[in-house]
Structures are given as C-alpha cells and as structure tokens.
Amino acid sequence: MVADEPRFGDGGGPRDADGPGRQAGTDGGVAVDGEVPVIAVRGITKHFGSIQALRGVDLDVRRGEVVGLVGDNGAGKSTLVNILSGALQPNGGTILVDGKAVTFGSSLEARRLGIETVYQDLSLAPDLSVWANIFLGREETVKGPLRVFGWLDRRAMARSAEADLERTRIRIGSVSSLAGRLSGGQRQAIAVGRAVAWGSKVILMDEPTAALGVEQQERVGQLVRSVCENGVPVLFISHNLPQVHKICDRVVVLFQGRVVANLRPAESSVDEIVAWITGAAMGGARSGL
Amino acid sequence: MPLRLPSALTPSGSVSPGAGPEGEATPTRAAWLNWVDRTGDFWIVGVLGLMVLVFGVLAPDLFTRASWLNTSQYAVEFLLLAIGQTFVIITGGIDLSDGAVLGFTGMVSGVVMQSMLASHENTLFTTIVGFAVALALGAFIGFVNGYLITRLKLPPFIVTLGTLTAIGAAPSLVNGGNEIVNLPPQIGTLGTATILGGWIYATVLIAAVACVIMGLALHRTRYGLRTFAIGSNNVGARRSGINVNRHLVMVYTVSGTLAGLAGMMVTANFDTATPVAGQNDELSAIAAVVIGGASLFGGRGTMLGTVVGTFIIALLVTGLVLVGVNGSWEQVATGIIVVAAVALDQVRLRLAER
Ligand SMILES: Nc1ncnc2c1ncn2[C@@H]1O[C@H](COP(=O)(O)OP(=O)(O)OP(=O)(O)O)[C@@H](O)[C@H]1O
Ligand SMILES: [Mg+2]
C-alpha cells in the first residue's frame, strides 16, 4: 500500500536554473493537438448557498505544461483546486483524468490517482513534526512482526523527508521540529516538498509562494519547471503575475467563476493578463480567446 | 470549553513577518521555545516530586507499603479511564461518560456473574464471562458515542454528557440499586493478589500493562500519529486521506472498553459491584490528562504525562487523608491544579505564537 505509491525523482535536486530554454518549451512540447489532457474539467459549477463560486469552468492541463491559474480574490481559484483535489464536490460538470470521467468522493481518491495538492492553507498539522506532515496518510511502517501494529519507521521517514525538502532548497533545520514552530515560508516549503514528493499525475499548487521571500520564490519556480519537465504537469496559482508569466506555458484567467482568457505568455504581456483579471479586457476585444 | 476549536495554524494570514530570507527563527527564540516545550513536559514531574516531599515531611507514613498500595490501587480506577481519555483529548474531543460507563459495566457484569453462580456455573468461566460482558458493553457504549459524534456531527461534549446522564442513573436501577456481593472467588483474589513481594497489586499491574501498550500505540504507531493529526488539523487530516470518522469512532470505542476494564478493576478492589462506582471519575481522569500536558484544543498530550497526572491526583487524595485534612479538600486542590495546568497550556500557546 504505502510503499507502492510512486515518489518523485531519485535523489537528483531540481534541474539547473538555465536548463532547457523557456521558449523552446513553449513552442515545442506543449499542447500537442490531439493529446489527451492529463486532467481536464468540463462545465464545472459550484455554489455555496447563494454564492455562485464557479459558473461552468473548462480547463485542460496537458503533459509537459505548467498552467497558471490567475484571477482576483474570490474569483474561484481555490474552489476549483479543491474540486480537482477531491476536497470539495462540484454541483455539476465532469472531471476527466487521462480522458476518463472520474468523481472524487474524497481527497484520498484523487491522491490515489497521483493528484497532489498544495492547499492555500497548507493543510499541515502544526503539532506534528515535519517528517510526519510529509508522510501523513501514507506512513511507512517497519518491516517485520511489528508491522501488523502499524509500527512507524520513523527513521526512514525522516530520512526521505529530508531528501524531499532538499529539493525545495529552503532550509528547515531539522525534519523533527514541529511544523507549527516554523516560519510561514518554511511551512510553505514543507507543503510544496510534500506535493512534489508524492505527485505522479499532476500537482496543484494554490499560492505556493505567497509567504516566500524573493529568492525562495525563484527556487520554487525552478522546482515547478523541473517537476514539469520530469513529466508531472503543474497547475500553478499565484497573484505574483511576473512569476506566473515567467514560469507558465499557459495562463488561464478566472473572472467571477468563469474562464475568461487562455493566454500564452509568449504572446501576451503581464499587463494583458492584468486586464483580463480585472475585467477591463472584456470591454470589446475578446481576441485573447 | 472543550468543544472543537480551530487549530493553532491558521491559513495564509499568519505568515510570520519576521521570517528573513532564510526564514529561520532567531537562536534565542528557538532556544526559548525549546525551553517552553521541554518544561511543558517535565514541570509536572517536579510538581509530583514536590508533593511527595511535602506530604512525606508532614506525614512520614506516606513512605509505607500500605500507603503506596492504597495510592496505587486508587490510581488504577481512573488511570484506565485517563488512558482512553488521553486519546480522546488529543483528537480534540472529550469523554464525559467514562465514569458512568465504569459504574454501569461493573454493575451489569456483576448481575451476570451473580446469576451464573446461582445456576452453578464454573467460577473461573463465570469470571471470564464477567470480564467479557464489561469490556463488550463498554466498547458498545463508546462506539455509540463515537458514532453520534461523527455521523450526526455533534460536539463530543454534548454527546458524552448525554451518555453520562442517560446511563449515569442505570447502575442504581440494575439489581434494585443494591450492591452485588455474590461474585466468583477469582474476583476477590484479583483484587487482593500482589506481586513483587507484596508491593504491586495485580490490578495495578494490569493497568500498567494497559498503559504501556496504549502508550506505545500513541507514540510509536500509525494509529497514534493519526490521532495527533486529527486533533492538530482535522481538515488537513481528512485531506491527507485519513478516515477521520472511522478513527474517531475507534478512539471512543477504546475509551469505552477501558472504562469497562476499569469497572472490573473496581469490582475486584472491593470484591463487590457497587452502583456508586465511578461517579465523578471522569473528572479526575480528564484532570489527570490535562495536568499531564495534553491540550483540550487537541493535538498535544503524552501517555507519560497522563501517568504522572494520575499519580498527582491519587497522591493528593492519600496525602491529604494522611495529613488529616478533610478529604473534600482534595477536590479543591484538584480543581486548582487543573486550572493551573490549563492556564500554563494557554500561556505556552501564546508564547509560541508570538
Ligand atoms: N466554504 C465556503 N463557504 C462559502 N463560500 C465560499 C466557501 N469557499 C469559497 N467561498 C466563496 O466562493 C468564492 C470563490 O472563493 P475562492 O476561495 O475559490 O476564491 P480564490 O479565487 O481562491 O480567491 P483568493 O485569491 O482570495 O484565494 C468566494 O466568493 C468565496 O467567498
Ligand atoms: Mg484562493
């Protein structure tokens, strides 16, 4: 069970900053026509009481892509991520994984398909150690007779947790310190490290860099690229538009629960993205679509 | 009070502004937090030591075998409750019903054993059935608690208060409210048997074994880790694939089962099943757990702390009796210690969040 789940990479840190050029990536490997999206949604709707959070959202994430999802506060980004991660159930629409319609009764079901999430609230247990947070829900047990009692292999988990965090290149100190004792940025690093370690199908990141300093944002950006180039696409939510513009292959703009634009950073400027986020671009020219 | 409350880690808003580029806490802050963490685990050991010292000076009789036997025998009664309660409180819940479950299971199993003896059953077999009845009944009541809490999404405080009220009266209805004294001889033997040259009651040994097993389960197994996770971040635990509802039902079921075992221990201690057994014991158990450093907000607690907390309360009772103070002062003292423990918990929380 636990041991069977795939874990990302085998020791290698994130790729070098100037690995494959961005331009080459955008033109070549992305959105090959006819390729089935790794994960897609069609006509997803979700309301909370009278609040209509999502009004029929379509979105594709393909292999080799980092897709940016942007929009104003309350546009519905987190709601969409929570639906894709199984934490919330939509009121209507379908989710397709590798072209097959699926429904997620819980986040466990999404996780079993290799969908990993960095939640906006990080979803960490402050009273547990860093390694326990990384392994929560798929703890490693010792081999041997104590296994039947679910006896934890703490040392093994601490060791792999260290390797996972190594990849985020943010210093945590000790993996046995309590998550609640760490700074906001360090906590974010744990959540990112956890998602990267376990995600094998797609990784959803809801503002993974909000608490990070400039240098750390940069590192997470590199990490996202390297994860994607290793075959796991990323849905990346952020309010840091220059970064979104820099690292994403495609930028999807949500506006009041609808997708209003699907842009390629190579063809659209940051200002253009801003115009779509604020709604200014919708006045006349719908050329962006 | 101890209803579920959100955990200390709140979402995006709580980004620590002081986090520099490396995002590391300053050494002094780290050292301070470390100290706070450590004292949280060990200050109660100091309190226990101090109490032994003070009572020992005031009443040297404290250091006799008889006094130790008394104290430890009394401790067994709510130590077993406190073990289950430790798990419950770590999940962020509370079990107010376990004292009542103790009394109820003791009486029901007493009635069963009495009637089996009346039809000339083998006494050993009768004893075994008596134990089985108490444990099964305790487990069932605990299961019902857990079921109501998770399926109807009712606060643990309300559900277990309801159970306490509902079955609290039951022991007085069973057997017309009379004590049951016709019990198999094995029960009486269990209550008086000692090991280690007469220093440890068999019942104390049983409680100690339960304590070690459950302590290892709490601190060394997946089950224990998930217990902490649920209390620390319920939503997060759900998202990480833990079946939170099933886990909680299990935790309350175990708490009920241990209360059933405690019911048998009390019956053995007195060689009598009595309808007043267990009354208010849940409060002593909760007090022991909280004194032991567990947080009523969930996510924190240790089995060792619970044991120390249990002995603090047991020692208060024996000590005050030995010193010749009216036994009711024990309740006053327990109350003060509990408030002090919770206050310290809050202070630590606030310090940690600064
Ligand atoms: N659990 C909930 N109950 C009620 N309303 C909700 C809930 N979650 C989200 N909403 C509402 O749904 C809408 C979309 O919220 P969502 O969190 O998806 O926005 P967002 O795009 O992630 O915003 P932000 O950038 O601030 O994170 C908002 O109007 C919000 O108030
Ligand atoms: Mg959001």
Side-chain angles (χ1 to χ4, degrees), chain B residues 25-38:
Chain B
T26 61
T28 41
R29 184 183 134 93
W32 170 241
L33 288 177
N34 216 348
W35 183 83
V36 170
D37 281 343
R38 278 172 203 287

Side-chain angles (χ1 to χ4, degrees), chain A residues 1 107-108 111 119 121 123-128 132 136-137 139 149-152 154 171 181 183 186-187 211 216, chain B residues 9 11 15 19 21-24 33 37 219-222 225-226 228-229 232-233 236 238-241 299 352:
Chain A
M1 6 166 242
S107 20
L108 183 61
R111 255 169 62 151
Y119 290 94
D121 67 6
S123 224
L124 299 174
D127 303 292
L128 294 187
L136 196 57
E139 303 84 355
F149 301 110
W151 198 272
L152 297 172
R154 297 149 64 96
R171 248 180 281 151
R181 287 275 182 273
S183 77
Q186 290 172 318
R187 276 183 253 163
Q216 274 67 33
Chain B
L9 176 77
V15 169
E22 286 310 317
E24 259 161 355
L33 288 177
D37 281 343
H219 296 294
R220 285 291 176 273
T221 71
R222 174 161 49 201
L225 187 71
R226 293 181 170 190
F228 281 100
S232 190
N233 183 347
R238 260 173 233 275
R239 284 175 183 161
S240 68

Side-chain angles (χ1 to χ4, degrees), chain A residues 253-273:
Chain A
V253 183
L254 267 187
F255 182 80
Q256 297 179 356
R258 279 198 186 86
V259 174
V260 293
N262 200 332
L263 311 164
R264 278 170 192 283
E267 298 154 8
S268 314
S269 65
V270 170
D271 288 343
E272 205 173 324
I273 299 175

